[in-house]
Amino acid sequence: MTLATEIRAAPQAQGYFAHRIEGARQIEQLNEAEGLAIRLEAMAGRMEIAGAKKELLCLWHTRANEGFRTVPKFEADLVSIRFITQGCLLRRNPRETFIGQPSRAILVGFGEMREEQASRAFESLGGTISR
């Protein structure tokens, strides 16, 4: 399926989601979707995101063949964690830059994030927890 924003029907209460992004129109659809705290600023190639959101917790898997860049849409009182399984992720805050790679996870407050930039051949498991 090539829809940017496909909300899976399996069970509604669980908040499952799956996105396959392959072009400018799909980036726009993703950025307009409600409930996403990030905005996809740049992407090359293809990107897939799938996960589940339930009240205070959101968990997802991300795969991108050519990398991407995201910025926050709004400030949120969340703790964010990324386990990088392939590639590299740079996460910039006003005072410092965090580097995530297969041997290092990133655990930081979401509210301080200014941007994230993923490398080519990127894959990770991520999550946010409301404080």
Side-chain angles (χ1 to χ4, degrees):
M1 207 171 258
T2 0
L3 297 176
T5 329
E6 170 195 345
I7 306 297
R8 293 186 184 172
Q12 249 347 358
Q14 295 300 313
Y16 292 107
F17 58 88
H19 305 287
R20 181 184 226 166
I21 304 112
E22 296 179 335
R25 175 75 177 123
Q26 293 166 334
I27 290 172
E28 184 180 311
Q29 288 175 338
L30 180 71
N31 287 338
E32 291 173 358
E34 289 186 32
L36 291 178
I38 56 103
R39 175 178 168 74
L40 186 58
E41 287 284 302
M43 182 200 75
R46 182 181 50 204
M47 181 176 179
E48 297 172 0
I49 306 168
K53 184 175 183 179
K54 178 93 174 178
E55 296 175 26
L56 305 176
L57 177 67
C58 184
L59 300 171
W60 68 91
H61 175 259
T62 304
R63 179 180 298 142
N65 63 347
E66 294 295 327
F68 60 89
R69 179 178 178 267
T70 63
V71 297
K73 281 186 185 178
F74 50 82
E75 291 219 10
D77 195 14
L78 303 169
V79 174
S80 175
I81 188 164
R82 287 280 194 133
F83 296 98
I84 313 307
T85 56
Q86 186 175 332
C88 179
L89 181 75
L90 296 177
R91 183 177 183 142
R92 293 182 181 90
N93 290 351
R95 295 176 305 280
E96 52 194 324
T97 298
F98 299 91
I99 301 170
Q101 53 195 15
S103 62
R104 301 164 81 183
I106 299 175
L107 174 67
V108 292
F110 179 84
E112 300 169 354
M113 182 178 91
R114 294 300 170 249
E115 72 172 341
E116 280 186 332
Q117 189 169 349
S119 70
R120 298 179 68 197
F122 178 79
E123 193 166 345
S124 74
L125 299 172
T128 56
I129 303 165
S130 296
R131 293 187 196 209

